[in-house]
Structure formats: C-alpha cells, structure tokens
C-alpha cells in the first residue's frame, strides 16, 4: 500500500513544482568566426509571482523572461522578448492594458476565458482559450484572464517598441 501512496505523493510534488520548471532553452548562434552555427544552452525562465497589475490583485500568476534578443541588424530599433507565464487552476490575471507593441501568446495548457475590456475596465466580451491556441494582441488592448480547473501555461512573444 505504501508504494502507491509514495507514487501519488511524488506525482503531486511534481505537479506542484511544475510551474517553476521549464524545458531547456537552446540558442542557435554563430561562432566568433561568423561561419559556424553552434548550440548554446541558456538558463530557463525563472517565474516570479506577479501579485497585482496596476494595484488590482492577480490570483496565482507567475511570469518571467525566457530570453531577450537585443536590437538586431535587420531593424536596430526592435528586439524580441520571449516570456513564459503560469496561472494556477481557478487563478486570474487582472484587467490591464497590453503594452504598446504586438504580443503573440501561445497556450501550452489550460482552459478558461480571456475578457475583452474597454479603457474603463468594463467587460464587453470574452473568448475561450485552450491548449495550442494562438492569440494575437494589437498594441494597447485591454483584457484580463479567468482560468479554468487546470493550470494555464503559456509563452508570449513581443517586439520592443521603437526607441525615439
């Protein structure tokens, strides 16, 4: 009987720790000669609790940068951020205005509703999200998140606003 109990405890411990874990990040880069591609292992995202946004409480939301790419030779005014987020089961992210840039969100796991809000925070609609959905945010769009019965895991990709 102890075997199944220990096994269940191990699974529960892993499930509790999973939001803090992320897969490997490998960056394919040119070597110093500029001629050979090399694989460089990077640190995985370290998710930090985000207790509120603009003074409005979140519930079970952690977020962190996976990788930041500095401005590049194609467009020196822009870089790319790759972010990872987690919302606990039954958790939420407060209604907020998205950044002044395009943001692409990929749903890894979880289901729930994303609210569509006006500038005063009033909800006028919502969409349901599920694993493998991609949500494209135009700059400065107001929205919030109400998660379902399982943890919500996502990746976000954004382009930095042009520097003036």
């Amino acid at each position: 009987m102890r075997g199944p109990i220990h096994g269940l405890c191990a699974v529960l411990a892993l499930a509790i720790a999973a939001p803090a874990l992320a897969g490997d990040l490998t960056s394919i880069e040119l070597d110093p000669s500029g001629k050979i591609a090399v694989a460089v292992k990077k640190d995985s995202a370290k998710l930090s609790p985000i207790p509120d946004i603009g003074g409005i409480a979140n519930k079970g939301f952690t977020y962190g940068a996976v990788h930041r790419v500095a401005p590049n030779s194609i467009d020196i005014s822009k870089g790319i951020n790759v972010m990872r987020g987690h919302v606990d089961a039954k958790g939420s992210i407060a209604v907020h205005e998205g950044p002044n840039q395009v943001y692409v969100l990929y749903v890894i796991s979880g289901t729930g509703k994303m609210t569509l809000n006006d500038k005063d925070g009033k909800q006028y609609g919502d969409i349901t999200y599920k694993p493998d959905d991609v949500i494209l945010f135009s700059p400065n769009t107001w929205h919030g998140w109400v998660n379902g019965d399982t943890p919500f895991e996502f990746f976000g990709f954004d382009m930095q606003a042009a520097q003036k």
Side-chain angles (χ1 to χ4, degrees):
M1 183 67 177
R2 279 197 298 186
I5 290 172
H6 286 126
L8 179 59
C9 289
V11 169
L12 287 174
L14 182 58
I16 290 167
L21 302 174
D24 292 337
L25 172 63
T26 303
S27 178
I28 307 303
E29 303 172 3
L30 289 176
D31 75 347
S33 74
K35 296 179 182 179
I36 299 172
V38 294
V40 180
K41 290 282 188 188
K42 304 280 185 166
D43 289 333
S44 296
K46 292 184 179 34
L47 302 182
S48 299
I50 309 295
D52 68 80
I53 298 177
I56 302 171
N58 295 313
K59 183 178 172 188
F61 177 38
T62 55
Y63 194 65
V66 174
H67 192 62
R68 297 181 189 272
V69 178
N72 58 60
S73 61
I74 296 168
D75 184 351
I76 61 171
S77 68
K78 296 182 179 180
I80 299 170
N81 290 327
V82 180
M83 309 298 287
R84 182 173 173 109
H86 167 88
V87 181
D88 291 342
K90 301 290 187 184
S92 61
I93 301 175
V95 171
H96 61 282
E97 180 180 20
N100 185 23
Q101 57 202 18
V102 173
Y103 188 84
V104 179
L105 183 139
Y106 173 74
V107 178
I108 299 168
S109 65
T111 60
K113 298 220 180 258
M114 184 191 79
T115 62
L116 304 173
N117 304 83
D118 65 18
K119 289 183 180 188
D120 297 323
K122 182 178 177 187
Q123 182 179 337
Y124 61 85
D126 61 46
I127 66 166
T128 300
Y129 62 86
K130 63 187 181 321
D132 290 329
D133 281 354
V134 175
I135 303 170
L136 176 63
F137 294 87
S138 293
N140 307 108
T141 52
W142 286 83
H143 59 282
W145 301 87
V146 179
N147 195 30
D149 295 331
T150 59
F152 170 34
E153 302 281 345
F154 64 91
F155 277 115
F157 307 87
D158 66 324
M159 299 292 291
Q160 292 297 310
Q163 301 295 318
K164 293 184 180 187

